[in-house]
Amino acid sequence: AGRFENCVIPVALHCLADISSIRLHIPKDLRPPSHRQSVAQALAEVEQHYQKVPLLDPVEDMQIDDEPFKKLLKKMELLAERLDSDAFRVPTVAPRLAQYARKAGLKARIEEQQRLIKQAASMILKDELKAMKRALRRLEFLEENDVVTTKGRVACEINTADELICTELIFSGLFNDLNPMQIVGLLSCMVFQEKSNENATPRDDLLGPIKTLQDTAARIARVQSESKIAIDVDEYVGSFKTHLAEVAYLWAKGSKFSDICQVTDIFEGSIVRCLRRLQELIEQLASAAQIIGAEPLVQRFREASTRIKRDIVFVASLYL
């Protein structure tokens, strides 16, 4: 239709998309118009002969026999097929890009909300920490400049039971007036957390110490509540159960394990577990009393520990 002229122009390598496996013989000098015309005719013949010009195959034509290279080539072919599929054609790209933009926007909003949640949680933890420090200062476990007091050092020795109550009981002098059996019976209230259907009524010589324990727990709970710590005073006091007090008292007194099991509906395994925890707590209280130099109290705790650490409760294994 229109007139055109065959020209020779330079092309950079990065402008080449593909290389064909067909090789044309080109004259060395393409300045004469007849030479350029012959090249144009050869290209026209190739287009007529092939519906699609064959490309140079690196494996078949160039004899590249390298497994990693073949895997990369296979991935390229798969990606090319996906790019040629309907999903990437112009009419469907726009809505997919819009969906991706919405997804990116939602992801950004999620990240922002997560950052705000983390910031709020950090503020809550800071408020709780301030409330705990306020309560510890009021209970004299910390000084005004947050230096740990002697009571605080004693509390650090206890981790088997509520360290605040145990420390308060030590400093109140309650244990100084109790014998080893009473100490064991009282401290059983600190380690027994299981449910029981029986109506637990401690013996008379444990009523006073248990009442002191409950009053101390109520006082500590009120201080925590006044310090803005979320706590239910009645629930906190009720968490110190007396169901194992009689059992622990009799065990420390020297009763047989079969005999103490008859006075309660608590499972034998629960009794063994609580007595083991009780012995660990008493050892920690002995270490705590040693910090303040209360040697008579240390000996009292050690004697209580010796009384319960015996027989089947503390054997290494029940298998003979």
Side-chain angles (χ1 to χ4, degrees):
R3 297 188 61 182
F4 62 88
E5 181 181 355
N6 297 313
C7 299
V8 179
I9 59 174
V11 178
L13 287 176
H14 68 269
C15 295
L16 298 179
D18 293 302
I19 301 177
S20 174
S21 60
I22 299 176
R23 179 183 176 188
L24 297 179
H25 294 282
I26 300 175
K28 293 182 179 181
D29 188 2
L30 291 175
R31 285 177 295 179
S34 59
H35 291 182
R36 296 197 296 270
Q37 183 64 31
S38 65
V39 174
Q41 290 176 355
L43 288 173
E45 291 175 1
V46 170
E47 291 177 352
Q48 291 177 0
H49 190 271
Y50 298 98
Q51 291 183 353
K52 186 177 181 180
V53 178
L55 301 178
L56 185 66
D57 189 289
V59 178
E60 298 294 333
D61 300 325
M62 302 179 67
Q63 304 298 317
I64 299 177
D65 189 16
D66 183 70
E67 288 302 322
F69 177 78
K70 290 181 180 179
K71 291 181 180 179
L72 289 174
L73 196 63
K74 185 65 176 177
K75 289 183 179 180
M76 290 175 60
E77 293 174 355
L78 293 174
L79 288 173
E81 291 178 2
R82 292 182 62 184
L83 289 172
D84 289 337
S85 64
D86 294 337
F88 287 91
R89 298 195 182 279
V90 175
T92 59
V93 167
R96 289 178 180 272
L97 288 176
Q99 289 180 352
Y100 180 78
R102 285 196 295 272
K103 177 183 177 182
L106 290 173
K107 184 178 179 182
R109 288 179 58 187
I110 290 172
E111 291 176 351
E112 176 64 16
Q113 292 299 319
Q114 288 177 339
R115 186 187 66 80
L116 293 175
I117 290 172
K118 187 176 181 180
Q119 183 178 359
S122 177
M123 291 299 296
I124 292 173
L125 289 175
K126 287 182 179 178
D127 292 340
E128 289 181 353
L129 179 60
K130 289 180 180 178
M132 290 177 183
K133 291 171 66 175
R134 191 181 303 118
L136 290 175
R137 283 194 291 267
R138 292 180 179 180
L139 292 170
E140 298 180 352
F141 285 78
L142 290 178
E143 295 180 357
E144 289 300 323
N145 55 358
D146 293 339
V147 175
V148 179
T149 62
T150 303
K151 289 178 70 174
R153 290 174 54 206
V154 169
C156 290
E157 296 292 322
I158 304 167
N159 55 43
T160 303
D162 191 303
E163 60 274 14
L164 298 183
I165 291 183
C166 289
T167 303
E168 288 291 342
L169 292 180
I170 289 176
F171 277 83
S172 69
L174 173 65
F175 294 115
N176 298 331
D177 301 325
L178 302 181
N179 59 46
M181 287 79 73
Q182 289 175 304
I183 290 176
V184 171
L186 174 64
L187 292 177
S188 68
C189 305
M190 308 286 291
V191 297
F192 182 73
Q193 302 295 328
E194 301 182 23
K195 294 181 179 179
S196 178
N197 295 324
E198 69 176 357
N199 185 15
T201 303
R203 59 176 55 222
D204 293 342
D205 57 349
L206 287 178
L207 292 176
I210 290 176
K211 180 65 167 57
T212 303
L213 167 63
Q214 293 171 340
D215 292 344
T216 303
R219 179 172 61 84
I220 290 177
R222 285 193 296 269
V223 171
Q224 291 178 333
S225 179
E226 293 168 359
S227 301
K228 308 302 181 183
I229 296 177
I231 187 171
D232 186 301
V233 177
D234 294 334
E235 182 179 345
Y236 181 71
V237 174
S239 65
F240 301 99
K241 302 177 181 179
T242 61
H243 297 81
L244 201 70
E246 181 67 16
V247 172
Y249 185 99
L250 292 175
W251 181 253
K253 195 175 181 179
S255 299
K256 295 181 179 180
F257 188 77
S258 57
D259 293 337
I260 66 173
C261 291
Q262 300 300 320
V263 301
T264 181
D265 65 350
I266 301 171
F267 291 114
E268 291 86 347
S270 299
I271 295 175
V272 171
R273 183 166 54 252
C274 289
L275 288 176
R276 283 175 173 269
R277 285 191 62 198
L278 182 56
Q279 192 271 337
E280 182 180 354
L281 172 60
I282 293 174
E283 288 294 331
Q284 292 175 359
L285 291 174
S287 299
Q290 210 159 22
I291 290 178
I292 58 177
E295 195 58 33
L297 187 57
V298 173
Q299 296 303 322
R300 199 180 298 267
F301 283 136
R302 293 276 164 79
E303 183 181 351
S305 176
T306 303
R307 282 179 172 270
I308 63 174
K309 191 176 181 180
R310 62 180 178 85
D311 294 349
I312 193 173
V313 174
F314 285 88
V315 295
S317 174
L318 295 180
Y319 296 96
L320 301 178

